[in-house]
Amino acid sequence: MVQKYQSPVRVYKHPFELVMAAYERRFPTCHLIPMFVASDVVDEETSEDGATHKIERRCALDVDAPRLLKRIAGVDYVYFIQKNKLNRKERTLHIESHNETFSNRVIIHETCCYSVHPENEDWTCFEQTASLDIKSFFGFESNVEKIAMKQYASSIKKGKEIIEYYLKELEDEGITHVPRWTPSSLSLPLPRPTSLSSPPVLPKLAVTPAVSIPPAADAKDGASPDAKQDASVVQTESLTEILAGTPEDKLDADYIKRYLGDLTPLQESCLIRLRKWLQETHKGKIPKDEHILRFLRARDFNMDKAREILCQSLTWRKQHQVDYLLETWSSPQVLQDYYTGGWHHHDRDGRPLYILRLGQMDTKGLVRALGEESLLRHVLSINEEGLRRCEENTKVFGRPISCWTCLVDLEGLNMRHLWRPGVKALLRIIEVVEANYPETLGRLLILRAPRVFPVLWTLVSPFIDENTRKKFLIYAGNDYQGPGGLVDYIDKEIIPDFLGGECMCEVPEGGLVPKSMYRTAEELENEDVRLWTETIYQSASIFKGAPHELLIEIIDASSVITWDFDVCKGDVVFNIYHSKRAPQAPRKDPLGAHGITSPGGNNVQLIDKSWTLGQDYSMVESPLTCKEGESVQGSHITRWPGFYILQWKFHNMPACSATNLPRVDDVLATLQVSSHKCKVMYYTEVLGSEDFRGSMTSLESSHSGFSQLSAATTSSNQSQSSSMISR
């Protein structure tokens, strides 16, 4: 497989002719490149007018390779052929080199080019590409590739330093200008070019530099004092625009260092090649360099893997118009009031700081009031805003900032936050964010983690990338206030007031979302937007004499049946039954007997009228009476395999205890058919006993209905259940 490498464009802020004079001093040998031991001129040719000069050299390199490998190869030096073509009229130098030694086993090809900066004729640009194709090498193919990579990285890093060294030497000698070629000047001192990049050698692929910085655009004043750095800071906006556009544009080494960070030569090459590939093949908007780099980092600079996930993300962004999200998305009022998250200054490293008071957030209420799609769009808008803030902080602080810090306060976290549909919504949101915003989280500070946190972590952590998990710092109780705590990462002046600081934080305090804001079954069914609750929840109508029943088949004993339902109308009685034989096919009540049509919700009976309780089926839990407006969460650990039936039954008002006669309310209720109808929205799931039991063992002291289950799971020889009711 052919390995290709591309260096960024390096810029010398000196005229082309002076750079050529410096370049010529590298030959026939260069003490700054110890491995470059000799070079002989094989052929040389100059045009009659002196405008072009061609020279071919045979260069010997003492490759830094293990002695054993040199003995096996039978060579002490590796020879390269280097061909240079200098065009003084066009002010260009093209360098081409390839290996002569072992050319039947290894093919190394390098091209370099010196040219005038497109926007400043007194500056010179240098670009370099190389390829390596190892066909066979005595079984040491991987070793040779590593050596070649090491030499290539070294030559790229040192190439510009060498030219700068000779430019300084010329200056010390009083040579600060070399006249340009003109048709009348037949003899200019021939800067006898020799590849600025020492001829690549079996292990050495190439030498030297890469990119140029376009002239500065007007920078915005008002940035912090840290922004008063080199002129490249001023050039950001125009440069960013250039980089997002034409296929001919190129990345500058100084730009990379200033805005993207310190990259190795191979990492620079991956970025440049992936960016070039996008420019040539992608028809849509080309992502910014920082974003391309995030995908490369997420896949350890594996080009193929990074390209795959990046293309998937670009398709996703186009389909969902994510590029325009900040301009088009407006948060519903319920999010503005009850979503307990917001941006808050920056951390000590200059990263934007996002605060999420998860313990104060009513996740169930938000999902029920908005649906998952709205929540997902809100989270995406937060990530898009984070990208924007990173760009802004990069300009302000004068150094690359490509990610943000998130502070999560878990004070108030309880079992309500482990509501399974809400957790599922969270997992899907995490999945979408991980796929499309890799390497955007610099650090996650989790504060005041309660005992229930391990359960949430057990559920969520498998969906989080390993590199991301390494960035998590978790503090229990008030540990964050001590040494190694919050002040190590956030300036004391901006620690939020609710964490004991003095800075007012504008993040909403949250609270329970009023149930009046919940979407009804009819709204969900009539709405075009696909909501999470529409796919998770089912609705059912219950009538006097016509309960709604749900069949769950259990194969493995000790499985766990979980449920979550809201009583939307009327009072119901919830029962759980078990039968060894399957009930009859579901019988839907036509509701005609009640004179009612049901636009939302269904009604199914499973228990045959001929069945006898205690013989054909048995009750495995005590009946639970649930009032209108209550939310019920619970679970049942099954004792036997077979068929379990969850039943919601109309709750009859008890008769007056004194007279044993119907109450006045009951008599009046019988006159109104609608009062015989109840409505529930429910969600159920069956879990494996081992996974469920393991995730709940840390909650024995938790103050919720689930604590009963946690204690009960230590014994599997009897059935246990737990329900938690909230109003």
Side-chain angles (χ1 to χ4, degrees), residues 366-382:
L366 289 174
V367 173
R368 292 297 308 278
L370 294 168
E372 187 229 4
E373 289 301 310
S374 292
L375 274 179
L376 177 58
R377 284 191 175 276
H378 185 64
V379 173
L380 295 182
S381 71
I382 293 171

Side-chain angles (χ1 to χ4, degrees), residues 409-427:
D409 179 23
L410 297 183
E411 176 71 10
L413 190 76
N414 54 42
M415 291 307 302
R416 182 180 179 83
H417 293 86
L418 298 184
W419 175 64
R420 293 196 67 80
V423 172
K424 280 199 168 186
L426 174 62
L427 294 181

Side-chain angles (χ1 to χ4, degrees), residues 69-275:
L69 185 59
K70 287 186 176 182
R71 285 186 177 181
I72 293 174
V75 298
D76 289 324
Y77 301 115
V78 176
Y79 290 90
F80 276 77
I81 301 298
Q82 183 186 64
K83 298 178 181 180
N84 295 352
K85 181 180 179 181
L86 173 65
N87 189 321
R88 296 188 178 89
K89 181 178 180 180
E90 301 294 335
R91 303 179 77 195
T92 60
L93 170 63
H94 292 280
I95 306 167
E96 189 175 327
S97 59
H98 63 272
N99 62 303
E100 182 182 77
T101 309
F102 302 120
S103 58
N104 61 329
R105 294 179 177 273
V106 180
I107 300 175
I108 300 175
H109 185 260
E110 178 190 18
T111 60
C112 305
C113 178
Y114 286 90
S115 61
V116 177
H117 192 289
E119 298 181 23
N120 190 331
E121 63 178 14
D122 290 328
W123 289 359
T124 306
C125 297
F126 173 82
E127 296 178 70
Q128 178 178 2
T129 61
S131 63
L132 170 66
D133 185 8
I134 303 177
K135 300 183 181 299
S136 65
F137 201 82
F138 313 108
F140 289 92
E141 290 80 9
S142 60
N143 299 71
V144 171
E145 183 178 1
K146 290 178 181 178
I147 293 172
M149 294 305 93
K150 180 180 177 181
Q151 296 293 335
Y152 174 79
S154 175
S155 67
I156 288 290
K157 183 177 181 181
K158 202 165 185 180
K160 186 174 181 180
E161 297 176 6
I162 294 172
I163 294 296
E164 296 284 3
Y165 172 85
Y166 287 118
L167 285 169
K168 180 66 167 59
E169 189 175 82
L170 287 169
E171 183 182 351
D172 293 342
E173 296 173 8
I175 303 174
T176 58
H177 175 72
V178 176
R180 295 185 187 181
W181 176 88
T182 60
S184 59
S185 62
L186 297 181
S187 70
L188 266 178
L190 300 185
R192 292 180 107 207
T194 320
S195 154
L196 166 71
S197 56
S198 313
V201 13
L202 175 55
K204 158 173 178 94
L205 253 188
V207 105
T208 305
V211 203
S212 104
I213 304 181
D218 292 337
K220 296 180 180 178
D221 293 328
S224 76
D226 300 41
K228 297 179 181 177
Q229 300 205 2
D230 58 69
S232 61
V233 178
V234 182
Q235 303 165 358
T236 312
E237 294 190 357
S238 64
L239 186 57
T240 303
E241 290 300 319
I242 293 173
L243 291 176
T246 63
E248 288 77 26
D249 65 344
K250 297 175 181 163
L251 286 180
D252 179 292
D254 294 334
Y255 161 82
I256 289 177
K257 184 174 182 180
R258 168 63 181 82
Y259 294 101
L260 304 180
D262 291 322
L263 303 180
T264 67
L266 297 183
Q267 290 172 344
E268 288 178 339
S269 174
C270 288
L271 172 62
I272 293 166
R273 289 189 295 127
L274 180 54
R275 185 170 175 274

Side-chain angles (χ1 to χ4, degrees), residues 358-459:
L358 184 60
Q360 305 299 315
M361 188 184 296
D362 180 9
T363 52
K364 176 175 180 177
L366 289 174
V367 173
R368 292 297 308 278
L370 294 168
E372 187 229 4
E373 289 301 310
S374 292
L375 274 179
L376 177 58
R377 284 191 175 276
H378 185 64
V379 173
L380 295 182
S381 71
I382 293 171
N383 281 270
E384 289 295 307
E385 173 66 15
L387 296 178
R388 189 193 67 77
R389 286 175 178 259
C390 284
E391 288 184 37
E392 188 176 275
N393 284 19
T394 295
K395 299 173 187 177
V396 170
F397 291 98
R399 59 178 180 273
I401 295 174
S402 61
C403 54
W404 52 83
T405 293
C406 185
L407 186 156
V408 180
D409 179 23
L410 297 183
E411 176 71 10
L413 190 76
N414 54 42
M415 291 307 302
R416 182 180 179 83
H417 293 86
L418 298 184
W419 175 64
R420 293 196 67 80
V423 172
K424 280 199 168 186
L426 174 62
L427 294 181
R428 185 182 169 220
I429 289 172
I430 290 175
E431 185 179 10
V432 172
V433 171
E434 281 280 310
N436 298 285
Y437 299 91
E439 297 298 314
T440 54
L441 182 65
R443 184 180 292 116
L444 180 66
L445 303 171
I446 300 176
L447 310 185
R448 303 198 281 193
R451 292 178 62 87
V452 72
F453 174 71
V455 183
L456 183 61
W457 180 247
T458 300
L459 296 173

